[in-house]
Amino acid sequence: GAVVSQHPSWVICKSGTSVKIECRSLDFQATTMFWYRQFPKQSLMLMATSNEGSKATYEQGVEKDKFLINHASLTLSTLTVTSAHPEDSSFYICSARRTGGLGNTQYFGPGTRLTVL
Amino acid sequence: DAKTTQPNSMESNEEEPVHLPCNHSTISGTDYIHWYRQLPSQGPEYVIHGLTSNVNNRMASLAIAEDRKSSTLILHRATLRDAAVYYCILSRNQGGSEKLVFGKGTKLTVNP
């Protein structure tokens, strides 16, 4: 299967600081990546769709100025949580879409645990 | 987005087959059926996907009803490592705007 990595795997930061999370597709190029958030005992919630070379598309209720997404290359997308607060503490997961074959398949990264103190 | 309905939880015994059902009565002709599974504190893992025909891979089999309103993920011999939350998701490829919307999934417990 395809490999998607995330860095860091966990981060603890103080309230008011910004945190950047990287998502890389290691063995395929991805024009489209996705960012999800998962709170404890809940399912994944799609935050935004990241398209290489263009602006991200955010889901309803997700603040685009707070969650900055950059997809500057075919293998890297970044999510920056700006001015993080304790309520932003969550498990952030990215996925990369590999095209071709029977439909398109998304492959997920291992996730990044963000704790805001 | 077309919705799916799955049982909240299921139990199985180790080395026995497991059939995980999914209903998707509002599926459209261009919707693909995807299955992912997630272990605690990990990202979802791709399991299998299909459109109309049954599909097999090294992890599982996907049986799709003739009317496509339901499907079943089959794990042929459950192991303890198969214990996870399994998600059945429909995706629609519309000019590259395809996205996956996760429901609550089925929590599979595998007994030794």
Side-chain angles (χ1 to χ4, degrees):
Chain A
V3 180
V4 176
S5 70
Q6 278 184 244
H7 178 80
S9 55
W10 60 270
V11 57
I12 301 172
C13 69
K14 294 181 178 180
S15 185
T17 60
S18 294
V19 174
K20 179 185 282 188
I21 303 170
E22 292 185 350
C23 176
R24 294 181 185 272
S25 57
L26 299 183
D27 53 358
F28 66 99
Q29 293 183 330
T31 56
T32 305
M33 293 184 173
F34 302 86
W35 287 95
Y36 297 79
R37 181 168 53 179
Q38 185 175 32
F39 292 107
K41 297 189 178 183
Q42 294 186 21
S43 188
L44 281 76
M45 288 177 50
L46 179 64
M47 298 175 66
T49 302
S50 169
N51 296 298
E52 188 266 337
S54 65
K55 290 183 178 180
T57 303
Y58 291 82
E59 295 299 301
Q60 191 172 11
V62 177
E63 300 174 59
K64 61 180 181 180
D65 294 329
K66 181 169 184 61
F67 299 99
L68 301 180
I69 292 173
N70 184 279
H71 192 160
S73 79
L74 290 174
T75 58
L76 173 64
S77 176
T78 60
L79 169 69
T80 301
V81 183
T82 63
S83 186
H85 292 287
E87 58 265 29
D88 298 322
S89 298
S90 188
F91 192 47
Y92 291 86
I93 308 169
C94 72
S95 72
R97 185 172 70 190
R98 188 168 74 175
T99 58
L102 177 64
N104 302 319
T105 303
Q106 284 187 35
Y107 293 92
F108 287 80
T112 297
R113 176 80 56 194
L114 171 63
T115 302
V116 184
L117 303 177
Chain B
D1 299 313
K3 292 184 178 179
T4 63
T5 304
Q6 299 177 254
N8 290 331
S9 62
M10 290 185 65
E11 273 194 52
S12 172
N13 296 320
E14 202 174 6
E15 297 190 6
E16 290 185 354
V18 181
H19 291 234
L20 296 165
C22 181
N23 287 320
H24 27 79
S25 58
T26 59
I27 192 171
S28 77
T30 56
D31 287 343
Y32 284 85
I33 303 162
H34 297 257
W35 284 83
Y36 287 82
R37 68 182 186 182
Q38 185 181 26
L39 277 69
S41 298
Q42 294 187 26
E45 177 186 22
Y46 167 78
V47 178
I48 201 167
H49 78 287
L51 184 61
T52 56
S53 303
N54 294 343
V55 185
N56 300 295
N57 65 22
R58 63 176 180 81
M59 290 182 68
S61 295
L62 175 60
I64 302 173
E66 198 169 330
D67 63 5
R68 302 215 318 131
K69 293 184 183 299
S70 66
S71 61
T72 302
L73 179 70
I74 302 167
L75 306 178
H76 296 286
R77 283 185 66 196
T79 69
L80 296 179
R81 289 178 295 180
D82 291 323
V85 178
Y86 285 78
Y87 296 98
C88 168
I89 306 165
L90 302 183
S91 71
R92 183 173 302 165
N93 193 346
Q94 293 180 326
S97 63
E98 168 191 301
K99 58 186 181 183
L100 302 178
V101 178
F102 283 75
K104 294 184 178 180
T106 297
K107 183 176 182 178
L108 176 66
T109 301
V110 180
N111 301 313

